[in-house]
Amino acid sequence: MMSALRILYLLLATWGAVHPMALMLGWMRDTGGGAVALMEAFMANGAVARLSWDLMIAGVALTLWILAEVYVRRNWTALVAIPATAFFGLGCGLPLYLFLRTRAV
């Protein structure tokens, strides 16, 4: 049986994948935007650029943390959180990693 904390991590990971992706797909549908338009939107103004860089740096830090811990703990399943972070974002990758990290070994 999973603990309440692990269930919460899993729910947050799911929310972190579904909600931002739905917003992204809606934006792409409305604007017809591709990769170039997306990068322009990420740097549209100072506030958005600051948030974009903040999330990218945090994503790199999470990736390094995952790699370092996998090297020590040999929890190879936790590597799934790296592509989840790259594709869905930090809002999915971090709670997914915490979910995978807190399982019984």
Side-chain angles (χ1 to χ4, degrees):
M1 184 170 170
M2 279 196 286
S3 70
L5 184 59
R6 290 196 77 227
I7 292 169
L8 187 56
Y9 286 149
L10 188 57
L11 290 172
L12 287 170
T14 303
W15 184 21
V18 173
H19 190 204
M21 190 57 68
L23 293 171
M24 178 67 67
L25 292 175
W27 175 83
M28 291 178 81
R29 182 192 64 240
D30 293 345
T31 64
V36 173
L38 182 60
M39 292 310 296
E40 288 172 356
F42 282 165
M43 301 301 161
N45 59 51
V48 176
R50 183 242 178 246
L51 182 59
S52 296
W53 279 108
D54 193 49
L55 291 172
M56 285 186 271
I57 292 166
V60 170
L62 174 62
T63 299
L64 291 173
W65 180 30
I66 292 169
L67 291 172
E69 286 222 333
V70 164
Y71 179 77
V72 172
R73 299 177 65 154
R74 304 289 190 232
N75 180 10
W76 305 110
T77 307
L79 291 172
V80 170
I82 294 174
T85 302
F87 185 72
F88 294 108
L90 192 59
C92 173
L94 177 58
L96 177 62
Y97 177 66
L98 293 172
F99 170 77
L100 295 170
R101 187 182 187 277
T102 55
R103 74 179 172 96
V105 289

Short mmCIF file of all heavy atoms in Angstrom, two decimals, residues 46-80:
data_model
loop_
_atom_site.label_atom_id
_atom_site.label_comp_id
_atom_site.label_asym_id
_atom_site.label_seq_id
_atom_site.Cartn_x
_atom_site.Cartn_y
_atom_site.Cartn_z
N GLY A 46 10.51 40.54 -20.20
CA GLY A 46 11.42 40.25 -19.10
C GLY A 46 10.85 39.27 -18.07
O GLY A 46 11.56 38.40 -17.57
N ALA A 47 9.57 39.40 -17.75
CA ALA A 47 8.96 38.53 -16.75
C ALA A 47 8.89 37.08 -17.24
O ALA A 47 9.22 36.14 -16.50
CB ALA A 47 7.56 39.03 -16.39
N VAL A 48 8.48 36.91 -18.47
CA VAL A 48 8.38 35.56 -19.03
C VAL A 48 9.77 34.96 -19.21
O VAL A 48 9.98 33.77 -18.92
CB VAL A 48 7.61 35.58 -20.37
CG1 VAL A 48 7.59 34.21 -21.02
CG2 VAL A 48 6.19 36.09 -20.17
N ALA A 49 10.72 35.75 -19.69
CA ALA A 49 12.08 35.25 -19.87
C ALA A 49 12.68 34.83 -18.53
O ALA A 49 13.35 33.79 -18.44
CB ALA A 49 12.95 36.32 -20.53
N ARG A 50 12.45 35.61 -17.49
CA ARG A 50 12.97 35.27 -16.16
C ARG A 50 12.41 33.93 -15.68
O ARG A 50 13.13 33.09 -15.20
CB ARG A 50 12.59 36.38 -15.17
CG ARG A 50 13.13 36.15 -13.78
CD ARG A 50 11.95 36.03 -12.83
NE ARG A 50 12.42 35.76 -11.50
CZ ARG A 50 12.17 34.62 -10.85
NH1 ARG A 50 11.50 33.67 -11.42
NH2 ARG A 50 12.59 34.44 -9.65
N LEU A 51 11.10 33.75 -15.85
CA LEU A 51 10.47 32.50 -15.45
C LEU A 51 10.98 31.33 -16.30
O LEU A 51 11.25 30.24 -15.77
CB LEU A 51 8.95 32.61 -15.55
CG LEU A 51 8.16 31.40 -15.10
CD1 LEU A 51 8.44 31.05 -13.65
CD2 LEU A 51 6.66 31.65 -15.30
N SER A 52 11.12 31.55 -17.59
CA SER A 52 11.62 30.50 -18.48
C SER A 52 13.03 30.06 -18.07
O SER A 52 13.30 28.85 -17.97
CB SER A 52 11.64 30.99 -19.94
OG SER A 52 10.34 31.27 -20.38
N TRP A 53 13.92 31.01 -17.85
CA TRP A 53 15.28 30.67 -17.44
C TRP A 53 15.31 30.00 -16.08
O TRP A 53 16.06 29.05 -15.85
CB TRP A 53 16.18 31.91 -17.46
CG TRP A 53 16.67 32.22 -18.83
CD1 TRP A 53 16.29 33.25 -19.63
CD2 TRP A 53 17.61 31.46 -19.59
NE1 TRP A 53 16.93 33.19 -20.83
CE2 TRP A 53 17.76 32.09 -20.84
CE3 TRP A 53 18.35 30.30 -19.35
CZ2 TRP A 53 18.60 31.61 -21.83
CZ3 TRP A 53 19.20 29.83 -20.34
CH2 TRP A 53 19.31 30.47 -21.55
N ASP A 54 14.48 30.48 -15.16
CA ASP A 54 14.42 29.90 -13.83
C ASP A 54 14.02 28.42 -13.92
O ASP A 54 14.64 27.57 -13.27
CB ASP A 54 13.42 30.69 -12.98
CG ASP A 54 13.50 30.36 -11.52
OD1 ASP A 54 14.62 30.35 -10.98
OD2 ASP A 54 12.45 30.11 -10.91
N LEU A 55 13.01 28.11 -14.72
CA LEU A 55 12.56 26.73 -14.87
C LEU A 55 13.60 25.86 -15.59
O LEU A 55 13.78 24.69 -15.24
CB LEU A 55 11.21 26.68 -15.59
CG LEU A 55 10.04 27.24 -14.80
CD1 LEU A 55 8.79 27.34 -15.67
CD2 LEU A 55 9.77 26.39 -13.57
N MET A 56 14.27 26.44 -16.58
CA MET A 56 15.31 25.67 -17.28
C MET A 56 16.47 25.33 -16.36
O MET A 56 16.96 24.20 -16.35
CB MET A 56 15.80 26.42 -18.52
CG MET A 56 14.81 26.39 -19.66
SD MET A 56 15.46 27.13 -21.17
CE MET A 56 14.99 28.83 -20.96
N ILE A 57 16.90 26.29 -15.57
CA ILE A 57 18.00 26.05 -14.63
C ILE A 57 17.60 25.03 -13.58
O ILE A 57 18.36 24.11 -13.25
CB ILE A 57 18.46 27.38 -14.01
CG1 ILE A 57 19.11 28.26 -15.08
CG2 ILE A 57 19.41 27.14 -12.84
CD1 ILE A 57 19.29 29.71 -14.67
N ALA A 58 16.39 25.15 -13.06
CA ALA A 58 15.90 24.17 -12.08
C ALA A 58 15.79 22.78 -12.70
O ALA A 58 16.08 21.78 -12.05
CB ALA A 58 14.55 24.62 -11.52
N GLY A 59 15.39 22.70 -13.96
CA GLY A 59 15.32 21.41 -14.66
C GLY A 59 16.69 20.77 -14.81
O GLY A 59 16.84 19.56 -14.64
N VAL A 60 17.70 21.58 -15.10
CA VAL A 60 19.07 21.05 -15.19
C VAL A 60 19.54 20.58 -13.82
O VAL A 60 20.15 19.50 -13.69
CB VAL A 60 20.03 22.12 -15.78
CG1 VAL A 60 21.48 21.69 -15.65
CG2 VAL A 60 19.68 22.40 -17.24
N ALA A 61 19.24 21.36 -12.78
CA ALA A 61 19.63 20.96 -11.42
C ALA A 61 18.96 19.65 -11.02
O ALA A 61 19.59 18.76 -10.44
CB ALA A 61 19.28 22.06 -10.43
N LEU A 62 17.68 19.50 -11.35
CA LEU A 62 16.97 18.25 -11.05
C LEU A 62 17.59 17.09 -11.80
O LEU A 62 17.80 16.02 -11.23
CB LEU A 62 15.48 18.37 -11.39
CG LEU A 62 14.67 17.08 -11.25
CD1 LEU A 62 14.68 16.60 -9.80
CD2 LEU A 62 13.24 17.30 -11.74
N THR A 63 17.93 17.28 -13.06
CA THR A 63 18.56 16.22 -13.84
C THR A 63 19.88 15.79 -13.22
O THR A 63 20.16 14.59 -13.10
CB THR A 63 18.77 16.69 -15.30
OG1 THR A 63 17.48 17.00 -15.86
CG2 THR A 63 19.46 15.63 -16.13
N LEU A 64 20.71 16.75 -12.81
CA LEU A 64 21.98 16.41 -12.16
C LEU A 64 21.75 15.67 -10.84
O LEU A 64 22.47 14.71 -10.53
CB LEU A 64 22.80 17.68 -11.92
CG LEU A 64 23.33 18.36 -13.18
CD1 LEU A 64 23.99 19.68 -12.82
CD2 LEU A 64 24.30 17.45 -13.91
N TRP A 65 20.75 16.09 -10.08
CA TRP A 65 20.43 15.42 -8.82
C TRP A 65 19.99 13.98 -9.07
O TRP A 65 20.43 13.05 -8.39
CB TRP A 65 19.34 16.22 -8.10
CG TRP A 65 18.90 15.64 -6.78
CD1 TRP A 65 19.64 14.91 -5.90
CD2 TRP A 65 17.61 15.75 -6.19
NE1 TRP A 65 18.88 14.57 -4.80
CE2 TRP A 65 17.63 15.07 -4.95
CE3 TRP A 65 16.42 16.36 -6.59
CZ2 TRP A 65 16.52 15.00 -4.13
CZ3 TRP A 65 15.32 16.29 -5.75
CH2 TRP A 65 15.39 15.61 -4.54
N ILE A 66 19.13 13.80 -10.07
CA ILE A 66 18.68 12.44 -10.40
C ILE A 66 19.86 11.57 -10.78
O ILE A 66 20.01 10.44 -10.30
CB ILE A 66 17.63 12.48 -11.54
CG1 ILE A 66 16.34 13.14 -11.04
CG2 ILE A 66 17.35 11.08 -12.06
CD1 ILE A 66 15.36 13.46 -12.16
N LEU A 67 20.72 12.07 -11.66
CA LEU A 67 21.88 11.28 -12.10
C LEU A 67 22.79 10.94 -10.93
O LEU A 67 23.27 9.80 -10.82
CB LEU A 67 22.64 12.04 -13.18
CG LEU A 67 21.92 12.18 -14.52
CD1 LEU A 67 22.70 13.11 -15.44
CD2 LEU A 67 21.71 10.82 -15.17
N ALA A 68 23.05 11.91 -10.05
CA ALA A 68 23.91 11.66 -8.90
C ALA A 68 23.30 10.62 -7.96
O ALA A 68 24.00 9.71 -7.49
CB ALA A 68 24.17 12.96 -8.14
N GLU A 69 22.03 10.72 -7.69
CA GLU A 69 21.39 9.76 -6.79
C GLU A 69 21.25 8.38 -7.41
O GLU A 69 21.37 7.38 -6.72
CB GLU A 69 20.03 10.29 -6.33
CG GLU A 69 20.17 11.40 -5.32
CD GLU A 69 19.18 11.28 -4.20
OE1 GLU A 69 18.10 10.72 -4.38
OE2 GLU A 69 19.52 11.78 -3.11
N VAL A 70 20.97 8.32 -8.71
CA VAL A 70 20.88 7.02 -9.37
C VAL A 70 22.23 6.33 -9.33
O VAL A 70 22.31 5.12 -9.12
CB VAL A 70 20.36 7.17 -10.82
CG1 VAL A 70 20.62 5.92 -11.64
CG2 VAL A 70 18.87 7.49 -10.81
N TYR A 71 23.29 7.09 -9.49
CA TYR A 71 24.64 6.52 -9.43
C TYR A 71 24.90 5.88 -8.08
O TYR A 71 25.48 4.80 -7.99
CB TYR A 71 25.68 7.61 -9.72
CG TYR A 71 27.10 7.13 -9.66
CD1 TYR A 71 27.64 6.39 -10.71
CD2 TYR A 71 27.89 7.41 -8.55
CE1 TYR A 71 28.95 5.94 -10.65
CE2 TYR A 71 29.19 6.96 -8.49
CZ TYR A 71 29.72 6.22 -9.53
OH TYR A 71 31.01 5.77 -9.47
N VAL A 72 24.44 6.53 -7.00
CA VAL A 72 24.68 6.03 -5.65
C VAL A 72 23.68 4.95 -5.26
O VAL A 72 24.06 3.89 -4.75
CB VAL A 72 24.63 7.19 -4.63
CG1 VAL A 72 24.67 6.68 -3.20
CG2 VAL A 72 25.76 8.17 -4.88
N ARG A 73 22.40 5.20 -5.51
CA ARG A 73 21.34 4.31 -5.03
C ARG A 73 21.01 3.17 -5.97
O ARG A 73 20.32 2.24 -5.59
CB ARG A 73 20.06 5.11 -4.76
CG ARG A 73 20.26 6.17 -3.69
CD ARG A 73 19.02 6.98 -3.52
NE ARG A 73 17.97 6.09 -3.02
CZ ARG A 73 16.94 6.47 -2.32
NH1 ARG A 73 16.79 7.73 -2.05
NH2 ARG A 73 16.05 5.61 -1.89
N ARG A 74 21.42 3.27 -7.22
CA ARG A 74 21.14 2.25 -8.24
C ARG A 74 19.64 2.07 -8.47
O ARG A 74 19.18 0.99 -8.77
CB ARG A 74 21.78 0.91 -7.89
CG ARG A 74 23.28 0.96 -7.65
CD ARG A 74 23.99 1.20 -8.95
NE ARG A 74 25.43 1.01 -8.78
CZ ARG A 74 26.32 1.91 -9.15
NH1 ARG A 74 25.96 3.03 -9.68
NH2 ARG A 74 27.60 1.69 -8.99
N ASN A 75 18.89 3.15 -8.31
CA ASN A 75 17.45 3.14 -8.55
C ASN A 75 17.23 3.56 -10.00
O ASN A 75 16.86 4.70 -10.30
CB ASN A 75 16.75 4.11 -7.57
CG ASN A 75 15.26 4.16 -7.77
OD1 ASN A 75 14.68 3.36 -8.49
ND2 ASN A 75 14.62 5.12 -7.12
N TRP A 76 17.45 2.62 -10.91
CA TRP A 76 17.45 2.93 -12.34
C TRP A 76 16.09 3.42 -12.84
O TRP A 76 16.02 4.20 -13.79
CB TRP A 76 17.90 1.71 -13.14
CG TRP A 76 19.23 1.20 -12.70
CD1 TRP A 76 19.48 0.04 -12.02
CD2 TRP A 76 20.50 1.85 -12.83
NE1 TRP A 76 20.82 -0.08 -11.74
CE2 TRP A 76 21.47 1.02 -12.23
CE3 TRP A 76 20.91 3.05 -13.39
CZ2 TRP A 76 22.82 1.34 -12.19
CZ3 TRP A 76 22.26 3.37 -13.35
CH2 TRP A 76 23.19 2.53 -12.75
N THR A 77 15.03 3.00 -12.20
CA THR A 77 13.69 3.44 -12.60
C THR A 77 13.54 4.95 -12.48
O THR A 77 12.79 5.57 -13.24
CB THR A 77 12.63 2.74 -11.72
OG1 THR A 77 12.85 1.34 -11.76
CG2 THR A 77 11.23 3.04 -12.19
N ALA A 78 14.25 5.55 -11.56
CA ALA A 78 14.15 6.99 -11.35
C ALA A 78 14.61 7.79 -12.57
O ALA A 78 14.25 8.96 -12.71
CB ALA A 78 14.95 7.40 -10.12
N LEU A 79 15.36 7.17 -13.46
CA LEU A 79 15.81 7.86 -14.67
C LEU A 79 14.63 8.28 -15.56
O LEU A 79 14.78 9.18 -16.38
CB LEU A 79 16.78 6.98 -15.46
CG LEU A 79 18.14 6.76 -14.82
CD1 LEU A 79 18.93 5.72 -15.60
CD2 LEU A 79 18.92 8.07 -14.74
N VAL A 80 13.49 7.67 -15.38
CA VAL A 80 12.29 8.03 -16.15
C VAL A 80 11.92 9.49 -15.91
O VAL A 80 11.33 10.14 -16.79
CB VAL A 80 11.11 7.09 -15.75
CG1 VAL A 80 9.80 7.56 -16.32
CG2 VAL A 80 11.42 5.67 -16.18
#
